Amino acid sequence: MKYFVAIAFVLIIGSLASAFISMMRSKSANPKMVRAFALRVGFSIFLFLTILVLAKLGYIKPTGIR
């Protein structure tokens, strides 16, 4: 499970970096940049929902603040 979350975070950061590079190269909103931002939002929502479902099913146990 730790690896899944780590890979998802890497994908989110990679998508954000791709959109940033695309934005810096062209001053207008091109389709590549919009697609990269859309993927980032999609990955983030998917990761959030997955963590919620896995916590509800008992696969992830919250430990709280220590």
Coordinates of all heavy atoms in Angstrom, one line a residue:
M1 N 0.8 -1.2 0.0 CA 0.0 0.0 0.0 C 0.9 1.3 0.0 O 0.5 2.2 -0.6 CB -0.9 0.0 1.2 CG -1.8 1.2 1.3 SD -2.8 1.6 -0.1 CE -3.7 0.1 -0.5
K2 N 2.0 1.2 0.7 CA 2.9 2.4 0.8 C 3.4 2.7 -0.6 O 3.5 3.9 -1.0 CB 4.0 2.1 1.7 CG 3.6 2.0 3.2 CD 4.9 1.7 4.0 CE 4.5 1.3 5.4 NZ 5.6 0.9 6.2
Y3 N 3.7 1.7 -1.4 CA 4.2 1.9 -2.7 C 3.2 2.5 -3.6 O 3.5 3.3 -4.5 CB 4.7 0.5 -3.3 CG 5.9 0.0 -2.5 CD1 5.7 -1.3 -1.8 CD2 7.1 0.6 -2.4 CE1 6.8 -1.8 -1.1 CE2 8.1 0.1 -1.6 CZ 8.0 -1.1 -1.0 OH 9.0 -1.6 -0.2
F4 N 2.0 2.1 -3.5 CA 0.9 2.6 -4.3 C 0.7 4.1 -4.1 O 0.6 4.9 -5.0 CB -0.4 1.9 -4.0 CG -1.6 2.5 -4.7 CD1 -1.8 2.4 -6.0 CD2 -2.5 3.3 -3.9 CE1 -2.9 3.0 -6.6 CE2 -3.6 3.9 -4.5 CZ -3.8 3.7 -5.9
V5 N 0.7 4.5 -2.8 CA 0.6 5.9 -2.5 C 1.8 6.7 -3.0 O 1.7 7.8 -3.5 CB 0.4 6.1 -1.0 CG1 0.4 7.6 -0.6 CG2 -0.9 5.5 -0.5
A6 N 3.0 6.1 -2.8 CA 4.2 6.8 -3.3 C 4.2 7.0 -4.8 O 4.6 8.1 -5.3 CB 5.5 6.0 -2.8
I7 N 3.8 6.0 -5.5 CA 3.8 6.1 -7.0 C 2.7 7.1 -7.4 O 3.0 7.9 -8.3 CB 3.5 4.7 -7.6 CG1 4.7 3.8 -7.4 CG2 3.1 4.8 -9.1 CD1 4.4 2.3 -7.8
A8 N 1.6 7.1 -6.7 CA 0.6 8.1 -7.0 C 1.1 9.5 -6.8 O 0.8 10.4 -7.6 CB -0.7 7.9 -6.2
F9 N 1.8 9.8 -5.7 CA 2.4 11.1 -5.4 C 3.4 11.5 -6.5 O 3.5 12.6 -6.9 CB 3.0 11.2 -4.0 CG 2.0 11.5 -3.0 CD1 2.0 10.7 -1.8 CD2 1.1 12.5 -3.1 CE1 1.1 10.9 -0.8 CE2 0.2 12.8 -2.1 CZ 0.2 12.0 -0.9
V10 N 4.2 10.5 -6.9 CA 5.2 10.8 -8.0 C 4.5 11.2 -9.3 O 4.9 12.1 -10.0 CB 6.1 9.6 -8.2 CG1 6.9 9.7 -9.5 CG2 7.0 9.4 -7.0
L11 N 3.4 10.5 -9.6 CA 2.6 10.8 -10.8 C 2.0 12.2 -10.7 O 2.0 13.0 -11.7 CB 1.5 9.8 -11.0 CG 2.0 8.4 -11.5 CD1 0.8 7.4 -11.6 CD2 2.6 8.5 -12.9
I12 N 1.5 12.6 -9.5 CA 0.9 13.9 -9.4 C 2.0 15.0 -9.5 O 1.8 16.0 -10.2 CB 0.2 14.0 -8.0 CG1 -1.0 13.1 -7.9 CG2 -0.1 15.4 -7.6 CD1 -1.6 12.9 -6.6
I13 N 3.1 14.8 -8.9 CA 4.2 15.8 -9.0 C 4.7 15.8 -10.4 O 5.0 16.9 -11.0 CB 5.3 15.4 -8.0 CG1 4.8 15.5 -6.6 CG2 6.5 16.4 -8.2 CD1 4.3 16.9 -6.2
G14 N 4.9 14.7 -11.1 CA 5.3 14.7 -12.5 C 4.4 15.4 -13.4 O 4.8 16.1 -14.3
S15 N 3.1 15.2 -13.2 CA 2.1 15.9 -14.0 C 2.2 17.4 -13.8 O 2.0 18.2 -14.7 CB 0.7 15.4 -13.7 OG -0.3 16.1 -14.4
L16 N 2.3 17.8 -12.5 CA 2.5 19.2 -12.2 C 3.7 19.8 -12.9 O 3.7 20.9 -13.4 CB 2.5 19.4 -10.7 CG 2.6 20.8 -10.2 CD1 1.3 21.6 -10.6 CD2 2.7 20.8 -8.7
A17 N 4.8 19.1 -12.8 CA 6.1 19.6 -13.4 C 5.9 19.7 -15.0 O 6.4 20.6 -15.6 CB 7.2 18.6 -13.1
S18 N 5.2 18.7 -15.6 CA 5.0 18.8 -17.0 C 4.2 20.0 -17.4 O 4.5 20.7 -18.4 CB 4.3 17.5 -17.4 OG 3.9 17.6 -18.8
A19 N 3.1 20.3 -16.6 CA 2.3 21.4 -16.9 C 3.1 22.7 -16.7 O 3.0 23.7 -17.5 CB 1.1 21.4 -16.0
F20 N 3.9 22.8 -15.7 CA 4.7 23.9 -15.4 C 5.7 24.2 -16.6 O 5.9 25.3 -17.1 CB 5.5 23.8 -14.1 CG 6.4 24.9 -13.8 CD1 5.9 26.2 -13.4 CD2 7.8 24.8 -13.9 CE1 6.7 27.2 -13.1 CE2 8.6 25.9 -13.6 CZ 8.1 27.1 -13.2
I21 N 6.4 23.1 -17.1 CA 7.3 23.3 -18.2 C 6.6 23.8 -19.4 O 7.1 24.6 -20.1 CB 8.1 22.0 -18.4 CG1 9.0 21.7 -17.3 CG2 8.8 22.0 -19.7 CD1 9.6 20.3 -17.3
S22 N 5.4 23.2 -19.7 CA 4.6 23.6 -20.8 C 4.2 25.0 -20.7 O 4.2 25.8 -21.7 CB 3.4 22.6 -21.0 OG 2.6 23.0 -22.1
M23 N 3.8 25.4 -19.5 CA 3.4 26.8 -19.3 C 4.5 27.8 -19.5 O 4.3 28.9 -20.0 CB 2.8 27.0 -17.9 CG 2.2 28.3 -17.6 SD 1.5 28.4 -16.0 CE 2.8 28.1 -14.9
M24 N 5.7 27.4 -19.1 CA 6.9 28.3 -19.2 C 7.3 28.5 -20.7 O 7.8 29.5 -21.1 CB 8.1 27.8 -18.4 CG 7.9 28.0 -16.9 SD 7.9 29.7 -16.5 CE 6.2 29.9 -15.8
R25 N 7.1 27.4 -21.5 CA 7.6 27.5 -22.9 C 6.6 28.3 -23.7 O 7.1 29.0 -24.7 CB 7.7 26.1 -23.4 CG 8.9 25.4 -22.9 CD 9.1 24.1 -23.6 NE 10.3 23.4 -23.0 CZ 10.6 22.2 -23.1 NH1 9.8 21.4 -23.8 NH2 11.7 21.7 -22.6
S26 N 5.3 28.3 -23.5 CA 4.4 29.1 -24.2 C 3.6 29.9 -23.3 O 3.1 29.4 -22.2 CB 3.5 28.2 -25.1 OG 2.6 27.5 -24.3
K27 N 3.3 31.1 -23.6 CA 2.6 32.0 -22.8 C 1.1 31.8 -22.8 O 0.4 32.3 -21.9 CB 2.9 33.5 -23.1 CG 4.3 33.8 -23.0 CD 4.8 33.6 -21.6 CE 6.3 33.9 -21.5 NZ 6.9 33.5 -20.2
S28 N 0.5 31.2 -23.8 CA -0.9 30.9 -23.8 C -1.2 29.5 -23.4 O -0.3 28.6 -23.3 CB -1.4 31.1 -25.3 OG -0.8 30.1 -26.1
A29 N -2.4 29.2 -23.0 CA -2.8 27.9 -22.5 C -2.9 27.0 -23.7 O -3.9 27.1 -24.5 CB -4.2 28.0 -21.8
N30 N -2.0 26.0 -23.8 CA -2.1 25.1 -24.9 C -2.7 23.8 -24.4 O -2.8 23.5 -23.2 CB -0.7 24.9 -25.5 CG 0.3 24.4 -24.5 OD1 0.0 24.0 -23.4 ND2 1.6 24.3 -24.9
P31 N -3.1 22.9 -25.3 CA -3.8 21.7 -24.9 C -2.9 20.7 -24.1 O -3.4 20.0 -23.2 CB -4.1 21.0 -26.3 CG -4.1 22.1 -27.3 CD -3.1 23.1 -26.8
K32 N -1.6 20.8 -24.3 CA -0.7 19.9 -23.5 C -0.7 20.3 -22.0 O -0.7 19.5 -21.1 CB 0.7 20.0 -24.1 CG 1.7 19.0 -23.4 CD 3.0 19.1 -24.1 CE 4.0 18.1 -23.5 NZ 5.3 18.2 -24.2
M33 N -0.7 21.6 -21.8 CA -0.7 22.1 -20.4 C -2.0 21.8 -19.7 O -2.1 21.3 -18.6 CB -0.5 23.6 -20.4 CG -0.5 24.2 -19.0 SD -0.2 26.0 -18.9 CE -1.7 26.5 -19.7
V34 N -3.1 22.0 -20.5 CA -4.4 21.7 -19.9 C -4.6 20.2 -19.6 O -5.1 19.9 -18.5 CB -5.5 22.2 -20.9 CG1 -6.9 21.8 -20.4 CG2 -5.5 23.7 -21.1
R35 N -4.1 19.4 -20.5 CA -4.2 18.0 -20.2 C -3.3 17.6 -19.0 O -3.8 16.7 -18.2 CB -3.7 17.2 -21.5 CG -3.9 15.7 -21.4 CD -3.5 15.0 -22.7 NE -3.4 15.9 -23.8 CZ -2.3 15.9 -24.6 NH1 -1.3 15.2 -24.3 NH2 -2.2 16.8 -25.6
A36 N -2.2 18.2 -18.8 CA -1.3 17.8 -17.7 C -2.0 18.3 -16.4 O -2.0 17.5 -15.4 CB 0.0 18.5 -17.8
F37 N -2.6 19.4 -16.4 CA -3.3 19.9 -15.2 C -4.5 19.0 -14.9 O -4.8 18.6 -13.7 CB -3.8 21.3 -15.3 CG -2.7 22.3 -14.9 CD1 -2.4 23.3 -15.8 CD2 -2.0 22.2 -13.7 CE1 -1.4 24.2 -15.4 CE2 -1.0 23.1 -13.4 CZ -0.7 24.1 -14.2
A38 N -5.2 18.6 -15.9 CA -6.4 17.7 -15.8 C -5.9 16.3 -15.2 O -6.6 15.7 -14.3 CB -7.1 17.5 -17.1
L39 N -4.8 15.8 -15.7 CA -4.3 14.5 -15.1 C -3.9 14.7 -13.7 O -4.2 13.8 -12.9 CB -3.1 14.1 -15.9 CG -3.4 13.4 -17.3 CD1 -2.1 13.1 -18.0 CD2 -4.1 12.1 -17.0
R40 N -3.3 15.8 -13.3 CA -3.0 16.0 -11.9 C -4.2 16.0 -11.0 O -4.2 15.4 -10.0 CB -2.2 17.3 -11.8 CG -1.8 17.6 -10.4 CD -1.1 19.0 -10.3 NE -1.2 19.5 -9.0 CZ -2.1 20.3 -8.5 NH1 -3.1 20.6 -9.3 NH2 -2.1 20.7 -7.3
V41 N -5.2 16.7 -11.5 CA -6.5 16.8 -10.7 C -7.1 15.4 -10.6 O -7.5 15.0 -9.5 CB -7.4 17.8 -11.2 CG1 -8.8 17.7 -10.6 CG2 -6.9 19.2 -11.1
G42 N -7.1 14.7 -11.7 CA -7.6 13.3 -11.7 C -6.9 12.4 -10.8 O -7.5 11.6 -10.0
F43 N -5.5 12.4 -10.8 CA -4.7 11.6 -9.9 C -5.0 11.9 -8.5 O -5.1 11.1 -7.6 CB -3.2 11.8 -10.2 CG -2.7 11.1 -11.5 CD1 -1.8 11.7 -12.3 CD2 -3.2 9.8 -11.8 CE1 -1.4 11.1 -13.4 CE2 -2.8 9.2 -13.0 CZ -1.8 9.8 -13.8
S44 N -5.1 13.2 -8.2 CA -5.3 13.6 -6.8 C -6.6 13.2 -6.3 O -6.7 12.6 -5.1 CB -5.2 15.2 -6.7 OG -4.0 15.6 -7.1
I45 N -7.7 13.3 -7.1 CA -9.0 12.8 -6.6 C -9.0 11.3 -6.5 O -9.6 10.8 -5.5 CB -10.1 13.3 -7.6 CG1 -10.2 14.8 -7.6 CG2 -11.4 12.6 -7.4 CD1 -11.1 15.4 -8.6
F46 N -8.4 10.6 -7.4 CA -8.4 9.2 -7.3 C -7.6 8.7 -6.1 O -8.1 7.8 -5.4 CB -7.7 8.6 -8.6 CG -7.5 7.1 -8.5 CD1 -8.6 6.3 -8.7 CD2 -6.2 6.6 -8.3 CE1 -8.4 4.9 -8.6 CE2 -6.1 5.2 -8.3 CZ -7.1 4.4 -8.4
L47 N -6.5 9.4 -5.8 CA -5.7 9.0 -4.6 C -6.5 9.3 -3.3 O -6.6 8.4 -2.4 CB -4.4 9.7 -4.6 CG -3.5 9.5 -3.4 CD1 -3.1 8.0 -3.3 CD2 -2.3 10.4 -3.4
F48 N -7.2 10.4 -3.3 CA -8.0 10.8 -2.1 C -9.1 9.8 -1.9 O -9.3 9.3 -0.8 CB -8.5 12.2 -2.3 CG -9.4 12.6 -1.1 CD1 -8.8 13.0 0.1 CD2 -10.8 12.7 -1.3 CE1 -9.6 13.4 1.2 CE2 -11.6 13.1 -0.2 CZ -11.0 13.5 1.0
L49 N -9.8 9.4 -2.9 CA -11.0 8.5 -2.8 C -10.5 7.1 -2.5 O -11.1 6.4 -1.7 CB -11.8 8.5 -4.1 CG -12.6 9.7 -4.4 CD1 -13.3 9.6 -5.7 CD2 -13.6 10.0 -3.3
T50 N -9.3 6.7 -3.0 CA -8.8 5.4 -2.7 C -8.4 5.3 -1.3 O -8.7 4.3 -0.6 CB -7.6 5.1 -3.6 OG1 -8.0 5.2 -5.0 CG2 -7.0 3.7 -3.4
I51 N -7.8 6.3 -0.7 CA -7.4 6.3 0.7 C -8.6 6.3 1.6 O -8.6 5.5 2.6 CB -6.5 7.5 1.0 CG1 -5.1 7.3 0.3 CG2 -6.3 7.7 2.5 CD1 -4.2 8.5 0.4
L52 N -9.7 7.0 1.2 CA -10.9 7.0 2.0 C -11.5 5.6 2.0 O -12.0 5.1 3.0 CB -11.9 8.0 1.5 CG -11.7 9.4 1.8 CD1 -12.7 10.3 1.2 CD2 -11.7 9.6 3.3
V53 N -11.6 5.0 0.8 CA -12.2 3.6 0.7 C -11.4 2.6 1.5 O -12.0 1.8 2.2 CB -12.4 3.2 -0.8 CG1 -12.8 1.8 -0.9 CG2 -13.5 4.1 -1.4
L54 N -10.1 2.6 1.3 CA -9.2 1.7 2.0 C -9.3 1.8 3.5 O -9.2 0.9 4.3 CB -7.8 1.8 1.5 CG -7.6 1.3 0.1 CD1 -6.2 1.5 -0.4 CD2 -8.0 -0.2 -0.1
A55 N -9.4 3.1 4.0 CA -9.5 3.3 5.4 C -10.9 2.8 5.9 O -11.0 2.2 7.0 CB -9.4 4.8 5.7
K56 N -11.9 3.0 5.2 CA -13.3 2.5 5.5 C -13.3 1.0 5.6 O -13.9 0.4 6.4 CB -14.3 3.0 4.5 CG -15.7 2.7 4.9 CD -16.2 3.5 6.1 CE -17.6 3.2 6.3 NZ -18.1 3.8 7.6
L57 N -12.6 0.3 4.7 CA -12.6 -1.2 4.6 C -11.6 -1.7 5.6 O -11.6 -3.0 5.8 CB -12.2 -1.6 3.2 CG -13.2 -1.3 2.1 CD1 -12.6 -1.8 0.8 CD2 -14.5 -2.0 2.4
G58 N -10.8 -0.9 6.3 CA -9.9 -1.4 7.3 C -8.5 -1.8 6.8 O -7.7 -2.3 7.6
Y59 N -8.2 -1.5 5.6 CA -6.8 -1.8 5.1 C -5.8 -0.8 5.6 O -4.6 -1.1 5.7 CB -6.8 -1.9 3.6 CG -7.5 -3.0 3.0 CD1 -8.7 -2.9 2.3 CD2 -7.1 -4.3 3.2 CE1 -9.4 -3.9 1.8 CE2 -7.7 -5.4 2.7 CZ -8.9 -5.2 2.0 OH -9.6 -6.3 1.5
I60 N -6.2 0.4 5.8 CA -5.4 1.5 6.4 C -5.9 1.9 7.7 O -7.1 2.1 7.9 CB -5.4 2.7 5.4 CG1 -4.8 2.3 4.1 CG2 -4.6 3.8 6.0 CD1 -5.0 3.5 3.1
K61 N -5.0 1.9 8.7 CA -5.4 2.2 10.1 C -4.9 3.6 10.4 O -3.6 3.8 10.4 CB -5.0 1.2 11.0 CG -5.4 -0.2 10.7 CD -6.0 -0.9 11.9 CE -6.4 -2.3 11.7 NZ -7.4 -2.6 10.7
P62 N -5.7 4.6 10.7 CA -5.2 5.9 11.1 C -4.5 5.8 12.5 O -5.0 5.1 13.4 CB -6.4 6.8 11.2 CG -7.6 5.8 11.3 CD -7.1 4.5 10.7
T63 N -3.3 6.4 12.6 CA -2.6 6.4 13.8 C -2.7 7.6 14.7 O -2.3 7.7 15.8 CB -1.1 6.1 13.5 OG1 -0.6 7.2 12.7 CG2 -0.9 4.8 12.9
G64 N -3.2 8.7 14.0 CA -3.3 10.0 14.8 C -2.0 10.7 14.9 O -1.0 10.3 14.4
I65 N -2.0 11.8 15.6 CA -0.8 12.6 15.9 C -0.1 12.0 17.1 O -0.7 11.9 18.1 CB -1.2 14.0 16.0 CG1 -1.8 14.5 14.8 CG2 0.1 14.9 16.3 CD1 -2.4 16.0 14.9
R66 N 1.2 11.8 16.9 CA 1.9 11.2 18.1 C 2.9 12.2 18.6 O 3.5 13.0 17.9 CB 2.7 10.0 17.7 CG 1.8 8.8 17.3 CD 2.5 7.6 16.9 NE 1.6 6.6 16.6 CZ 1.9 5.3 16.5 NH1 3.1 4.9 16.7 NH2 1.0 4.5 16.2

